[in-house]
Amino acid sequence: ETGVTQSPTHLIKTRGQQVTLRCSSQSGHNTVSWYQQALGQGPQFIFQYYREEENGRGNFPPRFSGLQFPNYSSELNVNALELDDSALYLCASSPNAVYNSPLHFGNGTRLTVT
Amino acid sequence: DAKTTQPNSMESNEEEPVHLPCNHSTISGTDYIHWYRQLPSQGPEYVIHGLTSNVNNRMASLAIAEDRKSSTLILHRATLRDAAVYYCILRDRNNDMRFGAGTRLTVKP
């Protein structure tokens, strides 16, 4: 069984640019969540997608948006990048959207904004 | 919003049990208690979760206080591979998992 994979592993962008991060969920999982982890801190919930619809959102501005595709893979898009957006972005999948379902995380994309 | 409080760091000797505490005094009746751990350069890894009763799995045990205002993750025999940051999280119906700073566990040989 293939786990959660994220691409790219590292990325450098300039302030004001836009970025797209990608995530392939674990086989059989229809729910994907995205998290932002700043250095030395715990992950912060951005949003969750279930069957291609947003199914919960944390305290992030609208310039953070996402998509989930019919094969349940997902993208995180961030517009108008700011220096504070530099972080590790984690994707997690689960077999359903039930809120006690364990999440399976990928190893993340390290985004640096200069 | 329900929050958790954990010690910043703990140390253990290899092959000894480890008890990692977590306080969550504002937990609501429908919040699940989840534990994850994060090894260096990796994403978090699910460890265990529970609602009211104590839980056991191959990785650990979770002891939940009767009033649910605290819980303890128990690693029965710590190994060097258990060195990680351990997060205690309350998961609510909005699917918002609020990670704190976690407990950094150091395991000494």
Side-chain angles (χ1 to χ4, degrees), chain A residues 37 43 48 99 101 103 107, chain B residues 30 36 38 43 49 91 95 99:
Chain A
Q37 185 172 25
Q48 181 184 76
Y99 72 107
S101 180
L103 301 184
N107 287 330
Chain B
T30 55
Y36 285 74
Q38 189 170 21
H49 76 281
R91 191 149 177 216
N95 281 312
F99 287 76

Side-chain angles (χ1 to χ4, degrees), chain A residues 33 35 37 40-45 48 55-59 88 90 94 96-108, chain B residues 29-32 34 36 38 41-47 49 51 85 87 91-102 104:
Chain A
S33 304
Y35 288 80
Q37 185 172 25
Q41 298 182 22
Q44 301 300 308
F45 175 66
Q48 181 184 76
N55 184 43
R57 188 178 183 93
N59 190 26
L88 180 68
L90 295 160
S94 58
N96 53 59
V98 176
Y99 72 107
N100 64 341
S101 180
L103 301 184
H104 299 254
F105 283 83
N107 287 330
Chain B
T30 55
D31 287 344
Y32 275 82
H34 285 245
Y36 285 74
Q38 189 170 21
S41 302
Q42 294 187 24
E45 174 188 28
Y46 167 78
V47 177
H49 76 281
L51 184 62
V85 177
Y87 296 101
R91 191 149 177 216
D92 63 20
R93 292 183 179 277
N94 294 322
N95 281 312
D96 187 347
M97 287 216 308
R98 294 182 179 269
F99 287 76
R104 182 173 298 279

